[in-house]
Amino acid sequence: MTFYKKILTVMFSVLFFVANAQEREVEMADAMRSNGSIYVVVAVLSVVLAGILVYVISTDKKISRIEKDLENK
Amino acid sequence: MYYFLTFGVVKKTTLKGYNFINSFKGLGLFLLQLGYVYFIVESGLPQGAKFPIVFAGLGGIVFLAFKLKCWKEMAVFGMFYTIIGGFLMPVPRLPIVYETIRNQYFHVTMWMAMIIVLFASALHAIKYLNKGHLRDDVLSSEFANLGIIFGVLGIITGMIWANYTWGDPWHGDPKQVSAAIGLLVYFALMVLRASFTDDVKRARIGAIYNLFAFPLLIVLLFTVPRMYDSLHPGAGGNPAFGKYDLDNSMRMVFYAAIIAWTLLGVWIATLRIRVRLLELKAYDVL
């Protein structure tokens, strides 16, 4: 083969690998969503958040009561 | 927009029993937040203009929440929305990050909340130096505490995120290092304050140091990382939060999450503030 034909052969065969770099399906957590476990994550975090909020709200009420007592004293 | 944090916060925070009407007000303002973000996001404004406009508008809504005394309920709704919406709403499918892009609702929003809170701390430091009321010093130091907590959480969540997306929890990324330095500066503020026994001296020196620390933090977090090549978005000369960094679908949760984290943190900080003010009042110092 002449020289330029060799170059072209190499270039065209490289194309095969280059084409692979395009849009493969980006693997996201669709499996997690489909079998329902993402909802477990959300539920756990919501429970944790609710617990923290219950603590904060009860502390807030306690402090309000003390403030009121100190004012009325 | 930041001033709302400083003026209304401690005066109007008492929660006198659970109030259904307040919850409706809180819910209403929270939905207003979402509606406003949706409106701006779907409008035809240039991408770069959206961030400041949204932030200014949300600042106004939060100000209204303080005025109507329903900011705590709004924080509750906002936090639940962040968690539920953060995991279930659609996000762009990008390689390298995959689903961890949802961390943006936690890591980045906590950093923004930290900056807002530390700004409030600096503002109260100025107020203290101006007037000399110990109350301003209490607010300034408690907001600085809150800022440190947000900062530590932000760095830890950032390290966890980096571990999965960049390969290593820490590899000298300019923003990471600058954030750590900024946080150390605030740790030093706490140590400085602890070294004084006299209230007034502690307040004065602490306030002055705070006013050095805050601009330093801003420079470290925003200016320095842009000068270097970094894996963080917004490096190598590109503006962060510009056109390319935030997808429209993520903006729906992102802005509400910033407000929610800030308000939740401020709520907890105000509890500590009120306890300290009660102590000062009980010992007749205030």
Side-chain angles (χ1 to χ4, degrees):
Chain A
M1 260 198 301
T2 57
F3 184 63
Y4 84 86
K5 277 190 198 157
K6 271 191 205 159
I7 296 290
L8 276 178
T9 318
V10 169
M11 279 171 60
F12 283 127
S13 33
V14 165
L15 249 178
F16 170 68
F17 297 102
V18 169
N20 240 358
Q22 286 163 23
E23 297 199 13
R24 202 174 305 159
E25 191 58 39
V26 178
E27 314 100 40
M28 301 281 266
D30 293 323
M32 237 200 151
R33 197 166 306 154
S34 63
N35 68 7
S37 28
I38 194 75
Y39 299 111
V40 176
V41 173
V42 173
V44 165
L45 287 174
S46 308
V47 166
V48 168
L49 179 68
I52 293 177
L53 285 174
V54 160
Y55 176 68
V56 167
I57 291 178
S58 71
T59 313
D60 199 322
K61 285 195 192 155
K62 259 185 228 167
I63 297 180
S64 301
R65 195 170 27 93
I66 296 178
E67 278 174 344
K68 205 156 47 113
D69 286 344
L70 215 60
E71 247 177 76
N72 295 339
K73 205 181 63 163
Chain B
M1 176 245 168
Y2 300 92
Y3 196 64
F4 72 80
L5 261 180
T6 57
F7 97 16
V9 161
V10 181
K11 284 185 213 148
K12 303 167 190 186
T13 52
T14 56
L15 199 67
K16 296 193 174 79
Y18 191 58
N19 202 348
F20 274 110
I21 300 181
N22 247 8
S23 319
F24 282 123
K25 281 195 265 182
L27 178 63
L29 279 181
F30 172 68
L31 293 174
L32 186 64
Q33 262 185 32
L34 289 184
Y36 178 75
V37 172
Y38 182 75
F39 173 66
I40 296 289
V41 162
E42 297 296 329
S43 72
L45 288 170
Q47 287 283 83
K50 284 186 186 171
F51 184 64
I53 294 182
V54 170
F55 231 32
L58 287 180
I61 293 179
V62 175
F63 181 77
L64 207 64
F66 274 103
K67 275 284 179 191
L68 295 173
K69 299 193 212 176
C70 60
W71 59 279
K72 293 180 180 176
E73 284 80 2
M74 195 165 87
V76 171
F77 286 118
M79 280 308 302
F80 275 113
Y81 175 69
T82 306
I83 289 188
I84 297 176
F87 285 104
L88 298 178
M89 285 177 66
V91 284
R93 312 173 82 97
L94 297 169
I96 303 179
V97 281
Y98 305 115
E99 292 274 358
T100 63
I101 199 169
R102 294 180 190 277
N103 198 13
Q104 184 146 11
Y105 301 140
F106 299 92
H107 167 74
V108 179
T109 54
M110 271 201 275
W111 273 124
M112 309 236 65
M114 178 194 85
I115 291 171
I116 294 176
V117 164
L118 289 178
F119 181 84
S121 168
L123 217 61
H124 277 285
I126 295 178
K127 272 174 111 177
Y128 175 78
L129 290 173
N130 225 356
K131 296 280 177 58
H133 298 312
L134 262 179
R135 186 177 168 277
D136 289 320
D137 175 62
V138 170
L139 268 89
S140 162
S141 71
E142 286 303 333
F143 282 141
N145 272 336
L146 179 66
I148 289 178
I149 292 178
F150 272 146
V152 167
L153 288 178
I155 285 197
I156 294 179
T157 51
M159 280 178 14
I160 296 176
W161 200 4
N163 194 23
Y164 285 102
T165 52
W166 301 344
D168 263 328
W170 195 278
H171 48 92
D173 180 70
K175 200 157 207 173
Q176 269 184 322
V177 173
S178 311
I181 296 174
L183 214 57
L184 284 174
V185 167
Y186 273 93
F187 279 135
L189 170 67
M190 290 295 123
V191 171
L192 178 68
R193 288 183 59 90
S195 68
F196 286 96
T197 46
D198 178 29
D199 278 339
V200 175
K201 282 208 191 84
R202 178 195 316 152
R204 208 182 306 148
I205 305 279
I208 296 174
Y209 185 90
N210 200 336
L211 292 176
F212 274 114
F214 182 69
L216 187 64
L217 184 77
I218 298 294
V219 166
L220 280 172
L221 285 179
F222 294 113
T223 320
V224 171
R226 285 186 207 188
M227 292 166 20
Y228 298 97
D229 294 323
S230 157
L231 284 167
H232 266 104
N238 311 311
F241 291 115
K243 302 185 232 181
Y244 308 112
D245 281 332
L246 198 54
D247 185 87
N248 268 353
S249 65
M250 291 191 72
R251 281 174 203 259
M252 287 305 302
V253 183
F254 183 68
Y255 295 121
I258 297 179
I259 304 289
W261 278 112
T262 312
L263 287 180
L264 181 67
V266 166
W267 187 0
I268 298 178
T270 54
L271 294 180
R272 291 180 54 99
I273 289 172
R274 284 155 70 190
V275 168
R276 279 182 64 180
L277 288 177
L278 282 175
E279 277 177 0
L280 290 178
K281 217 177 277 186
Y283 297 135
D284 287 329
V285 175
L286 202 58

